[in-house]
């Protein structure tokens, strides 16, 4: 019974030492009680109201795979036709460049005379592209994507035709880099172009419309709204 005062003194001494070491910060020693600053389950008020980021599209989806396979087949045809066209020597004369381009386009058109819309952008591919493009214009990168698309002049009507030379009278816009990251990569012979609300697959060497997806780009992003 006489040991209780000694134990009390020891506990008081330990408390004073702890206070001297840790300063005036409160020490939580109750069972199950966590310090507010150290509670890992406490929600962060800065991230509580932030929308969840859109999941990235699956570039290995069947639709994208089918699209890439058909693009490769087109590029093989392009290369085989280009091999029959006399090579253009290095020149800065636009007339010679355009003439060579038209010869290549005419030969490719003849090689795929029965080409039609949907040969490259198949229904399965369209579904994959619509999903990827929609996420681009709904996520945190949407303002930048819309600003890039708006750089093109607003177009009321666009009439494109597969396997035809891209009209000089219709301006187009480069696809935003953030969107390109969500779409299948393309060989150097072809490129994506945004034309009003349409996504165009363009043969850049022949200036030929290979295929296109109408109405897949949100129209408010391309008409200045």
């Amino acid at each position: 019974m006489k040991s209780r005062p000694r134990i009390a003194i020891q506990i008081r001494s330990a408390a004073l030492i702890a206070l001297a070491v840790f300063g005036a910060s409160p020490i939580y020693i109750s069972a199950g009680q966590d310090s507010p600053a150290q509670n890992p389950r406490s929600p962060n008020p800065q991230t509580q109201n932030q929308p969840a980021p859109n999941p990235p599209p699956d570039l290995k989806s069947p639709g994208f795979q089918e699209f890439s396979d058909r693009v490769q087949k087109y590029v093989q045809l392009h290369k085989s036709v280009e091999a029959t066209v006399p090579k253009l020597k290095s020149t800065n004369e636009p007339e010679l460049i355009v003439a060579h381009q038209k010869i290549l386009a005419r030969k490719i058109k003849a090689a795929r005379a029965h080409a039609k819309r949907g040969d490259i952008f198949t229904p399965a591919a369209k579904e994959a592209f619509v999903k990827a493009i929609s996420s681009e214009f709904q996520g945190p990168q949407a303002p930048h994507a819309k600003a890039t698309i708006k750089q093109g002049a607003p177009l009321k009507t666009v009439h494109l035709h597969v396997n035809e030379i891209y009209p000089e009278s219709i301006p187009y816009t480069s696809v935003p880099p953030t969107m390109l990251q969500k779409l299948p990569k393309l060989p150097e012979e072809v490129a994506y172009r945004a034309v009003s609300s349409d996504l165009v697959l363009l043969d850049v060497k022949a200036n030929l419309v290979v295929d296109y997806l109408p109405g897949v780009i949100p129209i408010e992003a391309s008409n200045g709204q």
Side-chain angles (χ1 to χ4, degrees):
M1 297 298 293
K2 294 182 181 180
S3 60
R4 287 184 180 179
R6 183 177 300 174
I7 294 174
I9 293 173
Q10 291 177 348
I11 292 175
R12 191 177 303 149
S13 300
L16 291 174
I17 293 172
L19 183 62
V21 172
F22 296 103
S25 300
I27 301 174
Y28 295 84
I29 58 175
S30 299
Q33 185 175 3
D34 295 327
S35 168
Q38 297 177 350
N39 186 359
R41 292 172 294 181
S42 298
N44 188 339
Q46 296 180 351
T47 59
Q48 235 177 342
N49 298 324
Q50 290 183 359
N54 292 323
D58 183 10
L59 292 176
K60 295 183 179 180
S61 67
F64 278 156
Q65 289 288 349
E66 186 175 50
F67 169 81
S68 296
D69 291 343
R70 298 200 175 203
V71 167
Q72 289 298 331
K73 290 181 180 179
Y74 173 81
V75 169
Q76 290 175 3
L77 180 145
H78 171 108
K79 290 181 177 180
S80 64
V81 171
E82 188 177 23
T84 67
V85 178
K87 291 184 178 182
L88 179 65
K89 296 181 180 180
S90 180
T91 178
N92 293 325
E93 297 184 25
E95 296 83 3
L96 295 178
I97 296 174
V98 172
H100 183 271
Q101 187 180 72
K102 289 183 177 180
I103 293 173
L104 178 60
R106 185 171 65 248
K107 286 181 172 289
I108 292 178
K109 286 176 60 178
R112 59 192 303 254
H114 301 290
K116 61 185 183 301
R117 185 165 64 84
D119 286 347
I120 310 294
F121 287 116
T122 63
K126 178 181 178 180
E127 182 178 352
F129 274 89
V130 167
K131 183 178 180 180
I133 293 172
S134 297
S135 69
E136 174 69 12
F137 287 94
Q138 293 175 357
Q141 67 284 339
H144 175 72
K146 291 180 180 180
T148 303
I149 292 296
K150 286 179 182 178
Q151 291 176 6
L155 301 174
K156 293 183 179 180
T157 56
V158 176
H159 299 288
L160 296 176
H161 300 280
V162 172
N163 211 30
E164 293 290 339
I165 292 177
Y166 187 88
E168 294 182 1
S169 60
I170 300 180
Y172 58 75
T173 305
S174 298
V175 175
T178 51
M179 186 192 297
L180 286 177
Q181 296 175 1
K182 299 179 179 181
L183 305 180
K185 291 184 179 180
L186 296 175
E188 62 180 8
E189 289 79 7
V190 292
Y192 298 113
R193 293 291 184 264
V195 182
S196 186
S197 61
D198 302 344
L199 180 67
V200 179
L201 182 66
L202 185 71
D203 186 319
V204 293
K205 290 187 176 182
N207 193 35
L208 203 66
V209 177
V210 181
D211 202 353
Y212 69 97
L213 278 176
V216 295
I217 298 175
I219 191 66
E220 66 271 11
S222 56
N223 65 7
Q225 293 182 357

